[in-house]
Amino acid sequence: MEVTSYRSETAPVMTSVSKWKKRIPFIIAYGVLGLTTLPIILMYLWLLLSSFSEQMKYGFIPVRFTLENWKFLWTSVEHGGSELPSIWTATWNSFVFSGTLTILEVIIGVMAGYALSRLEFPGRQALMKTTLLLHAFPSIALLIAVYYILNFMGLFDSLWGVVLVKTALQIPMTAWIVKGFFDDVPWDVEWAGLIDGCSRLKVWFTIVLPLIKPGIAAVSIFSFLSGWSEFLLLYTFILSDENVTLASYLQRLISDPNLVNYGLLSAVSLFYMLPVLLFFIFTQKSLMQVSVGGGKRV
C-alpha cells in the first residue's frame, strides 16, 4: 500500500516535469525570436512616438503631443528653403508605379512560366539556367546602360520608363516561381480539356490558371511590394516633382543632414508604411502559398 501511495504522489510530479521538458524547445525558440525582433519593434515604437511629439527628450522620451508633424497631409511642406511636392501626388505615383508593375509582371511572368513548365523547345534548359542568372545582376550595375536606353527612347524622367526597366529585372524570378506552380498541375487535367474539344489557349485560361490562383496571388503581392519599396531606379531616372514617389519624397527629407526634421520624417515614414502593413494583413495567407514542385511537360 505504501508503494502504491508513493507512486500515486510522484506521478503528477513526473508528468509536470515531462511537460516542461517538451516545452523547453518552444521556450528557447520564442525567446530567440523575441530577442531578435525586439529592436525592430522598438524602432517602430520610436517612429510612432516621434511622429506625435514635438521632440524626443534624451532621444527616446516624447515631449508634448502635437499634430504639427502630420501637416503634410493637408498642406505643402517647406524643407531646406524649397517647397516639397504634394504628398498625395507622390502617393498616387507610387500606386500607379506599383500597380502597373504588378500587372505587367504577372501577365508576362505567367505566360513565360507556363512555357517553361509545359513546352519543349530548343534551348529550354539553357534558358532556365540563364533565368536565375539574369535575376542575380544588381540594378546598380546596369544604371548607365539603362540611362542611355531610356534617354534614346524618350522615357527618361518618366514613370513608364522605370516601370519597363523594373519589369524586365523582375520577370526572370517571377517566371521561375510561377513555373513551380504549373509543374504541380497534372497534365491529365489539360488532356481532359483537350479531349472535350477546347483549344490549348482555352484550356490554359479556363482550367489551368484557376488552379494556380495561390501562385498568381503570391507573385502579385511580391511584385506590388517590390514596386512600392523601389528607390534606386526612381531616384536615378525621375527628376521632376510631378513624377515623384513616396520613396523619393522621403529621400528629400533627409537630403541635408543639418536640416532633418525627425518628427516630420517619422510621420511620413509611418504614412509610407501604412499601405504595406494593410497589404500584409489582408494577403498574408497567400504569401504562404509559394512552393516549388515537379510536373510533366508536353
Side-chain angles (χ1 to χ4, degrees):
M1 294 296 292
E2 293 180 358
V3 174
T4 304
S5 176
Y6 173 75
R7 287 181 178 177
S8 62
E9 291 176 358
T10 57
V13 178
M14 296 298 293
T15 303
S16 61
V17 172
S18 62
K19 287 183 179 179
W20 274 107
K21 287 183 178 179
K22 292 180 180 180
R23 292 176 181 175
I24 287 176
F26 295 98
I27 295 174
I28 295 175
Y30 283 117
V32 172
L33 288 174
L35 290 176
T36 54
T37 57
L38 182 61
I40 301 175
I41 295 174
L42 291 177
M43 285 189 289
Y44 284 128
L45 181 61
W46 186 92
L47 275 178
L48 180 62
L49 295 177
S50 178
S51 66
F52 289 103
S53 62
E54 290 186 2
Q55 63 178 354
M56 299 291 282
K57 190 176 181 180
Y58 305 120
F60 60 90
I61 300 177
V63 177
R64 287 188 296 274
F65 175 84
T66 181
L67 292 176
E68 183 69 16
N69 297 326
W70 292 86
K71 65 181 181 180
F72 64 88
L73 293 175
W74 56 82
T75 185
S76 299
V77 176
E78 290 189 4
H79 181 74
S82 60
E83 186 176 286
L84 296 178
S86 171
I87 191 69
W88 299 111
T89 300
T91 304
W92 171 251
N93 290 336
S94 296
F95 275 112
V96 169
F97 178 78
S98 303
T100 308
L101 173 67
T102 302
I103 294 172
L104 291 177
E105 195 172 327
V106 169
I107 293 175
I108 300 173
V110 167
M111 292 189 291
Y114 181 80
L116 292 174
S117 174
R118 287 293 198 260
L119 305 180
E120 287 285 3
F121 52 88
R124 177 180 174 277
Q125 292 295 332
L127 180 61
M128 290 179 61
K129 294 177 182 178
T130 309
T131 298
L132 290 180
L133 182 63
L134 291 174
H135 189 74
F137 282 98
S139 303
I140 193 171
L142 306 172
L143 290 182
I144 297 177
V146 170
Y147 167 76
Y148 280 109
I149 294 173
L150 292 180
N151 193 43
F152 175 78
M153 297 176 64
L155 293 176
F156 184 75
D157 194 21
S158 168
L159 281 177
W160 306 113
V162 183
V163 165
L164 294 178
V165 174
K166 184 67 174 176
T167 302
L169 293 174
Q170 291 288 111
I171 282 177
M173 181 58 70
T174 302
W176 187 267
I177 293 175
V178 175
K179 173 190 174 298
F181 284 93
F182 280 121
D183 287 343
D184 288 337
V185 177
W187 165 238
D188 295 341
V189 175
E190 293 185 66
W191 185 248
L194 293 173
I195 292 176
D196 289 339
C198 297
S199 64
R200 191 67 181 269
L201 180 61
K202 187 174 182 180
V203 169
W204 174 75
F205 188 76
T206 61
I207 298 177
V208 180
L209 286 186
L211 294 176
I212 65 162
K213 280 184 179 179
I216 296 176
V219 168
S220 301
I221 295 167
F222 285 129
S223 301
F224 183 86
L225 295 179
S226 176
W228 188 262
S229 61
E230 176 60 37
F231 169 72
L232 179 62
L233 295 175
L234 292 168
Y235 176 68
T236 305
F237 301 121
I238 298 296
L239 303 178
S240 57
D241 288 346
E242 59 267 20
N243 291 324
V244 71
T245 60
L246 286 174
S248 301
Y249 191 97
L250 276 172
Q251 188 277 332
R252 296 188 183 192
L253 292 178
I254 59 175
S255 58
D256 189 344
N258 298 319
L259 299 175
V260 176
N261 183 340
Y262 287 101
L264 175 62
L265 180 62
S266 300
V268 176
S269 299
L270 284 177
F271 180 80
Y272 183 41
M273 290 191 305
L274 280 177
V276 178
L277 292 177
L278 295 175
F279 209 60
F280 267 116
I281 291 173
F282 292 106
T283 60
Q284 55 184 333
K285 290 184 178 180
S286 296
L287 286 172
M288 300 296 105
Q289 298 293 329
V290 178
S291 61
V292 178
K296 297 180 179 180
R297 300 177 299 277
V298 294

